[in-house]
Amino acid sequence: MTTAGTTPLRIGLLGTGPWARNTQAPALAAHPGVELSGVWGRRAEAADALATAHGTRAYTGEEGIDALLEASDAVAFALPPDVQAPLAVRAAEAGCHLLMDKPVATTVVGARAVAEAAEKASVASVVFCTLRFAPETSAWIAEQASVDGWFTARAQWLGSLYAAGSASEYADSPWRREKGGLWDVGPHALSALIPVLGDVEHLTAAAGPADTTHLILRHTSGASSTVTLGLSAPPGAAGVEIEVRGERGTASIPGWAGAETAFRGAVDALAEAVRTGVPHACDARFGLHLTELLAAAEEQAQAAG
């Protein structure tokens, strides 16, 4: 395992799907402080194609996972959450730092196992919630978190992944179709609201049309927020908005450059946590907390609906 201050950081990639192809592999291969140490995939041909495209080695099979962990200081995950979680435990136990996708898992038990494994192994961890790492949005979150007196907030993250006529390759993801917008984009919204308004101390959830979920949150600061999440909106209704209102007026989150730039920010955050030994705010423990909130919301929405 690379020690603090040693470069480059060898990061292996687990997964070969659209997320790995479009975002993670290009970002890792181009990062000046990273060596892409290999790509693991369930299908050998997919692993070979992605590894060849980025000048690294392909791995497959159970033995391939162990070999990639041995060749890496850290691993990045582009896998369904409940496949990611046990492999993250395995990686931590092998001494690898963790760069995970959100949500860490869709069960509290699975997410807790990851957080505990990372803590026990003393490995660094980062959960890639896009808004916390894109330069434009991370700066906005930090700015609003430094201001007191927020009264309320509104977050809306509506995608059209499952709208009629959608041709997105991400729509082929079974876990997204099963779990919907609550689990796919909910972590993004919550990861932006919590640093600004404080932790969630009370949550109410209700189901909306298709996979849409509505949340009402009360935060430790005394502020409240409402959140609407979904992946099945008509294309004309899709969009992302986060707005906070308080004593100093209203502030709206800006747009951001894209997932690859944000992912590079997450890589930088992991490298900094490795170097300093200081946990990042968006680490496996925070990922566990997000899963706890989402699981509670899911239970409420299903009971009410």
Side-chain angles (χ1 to χ4, degrees):
M1 183 173 72
T2 290
T3 57
T6 302
T7 56
L9 189 67
R10 300 174 302 161
I11 302 182
L13 176 58
L14 291 166
T16 59
W19 184 241
R21 295 194 308 270
N22 299 335
T23 299
Q24 294 195 349
L28 291 169
H31 196 290
V34 167
E35 175 191 336
L36 179 55
S37 51
V39 174
W40 177 88
R42 180 178 56 83
R43 295 184 298 111
E45 60 273 24
D48 286 339
L50 190 57
T52 299
H54 295 286
T56 190
R57 181 177 175 183
Y59 297 84
T60 193
E62 283 296 307
E63 69 283 355
I65 295 174
D66 292 329
L68 181 57
L69 296 179
E70 178 67 25
S72 304
D73 306 307
V75 284
F77 294 86
L79 297 167
D82 295 325
V83 176
Q84 168 180 251
L87 288 177
V89 171
R90 185 169 165 181
E93 291 173 346
C96 290
H97 306 291
L98 308 175
L99 180 49
M100 294 172 286
D101 200 8
K102 53 76 211 161
V104 170
T106 66
T107 68
V108 173
V109 170
R112 181 176 293 118
V114 175
E116 290 177 350
E119 183 175 358
K120 182 178 180 180
S122 298
V123 297
S125 60
V126 164
V127 180
F128 181 48
C129 295
T130 303
L131 301 182
R132 295 290 286 272
F133 300 101
E136 305 89 344
T137 54
S138 63
W140 182 88
I141 290 168
E143 180 182 359
Q144 310 322 314
S146 70
V147 176
D148 293 326
W150 295 118
F151 182 69
T152 190
R154 176 181 61 84
Q156 182 169 277
W157 196 305
L158 290 173
S160 56
L161 199 64
Y162 298 121
S166 172
S168 172
E169 58 185 337
Y170 296 100
D172 293 332
S173 167
W175 84 265
R176 282 187 177 87
R177 187 171 292 277
E178 177 189 355
K179 305 302 284 187
L182 174 66
W183 286 93
D184 188 29
V185 298
H188 295 312
L190 291 172
S191 74
L193 291 173
I194 288 172
V196 177
L197 303 181
D199 201 2
V200 177
E201 61 180 16
H202 186 269
L203 177 154
T204 302
D211 74 309
T212 305
T213 302
H214 301 283
L215 308 179
I216 302 174
L217 310 175
R218 185 173 68 234
H219 298 265
T220 52
S221 65
S224 64
S225 64
T226 60
V227 183
T228 299
L229 308 163
L231 298 176
S232 303
V240 178
E241 298 176 5
I242 300 178
E243 176 188 85
V244 290
R245 291 175 174 265
E247 294 173 358
R248 301 193 185 190
T250 302
S252 298
I253 200 164
W256 60 97
E260 187 176 337
T261 300
F263 189 74
R264 286 198 296 269
V267 174
D268 291 339
L270 181 69
E272 180 71 3
V274 171
R275 184 184 68 81
T276 64
V278 178
H280 190 272
C282 203
D283 64 358
R285 186 61 59 178
F286 182 69
L288 166 60
H289 187 45
L290 291 178
T291 294
E292 290 171 335
L293 293 171
L294 295 170
E298 181 180 63
E299 183 178 3
Q300 277 198 32
Q302 289 177 345

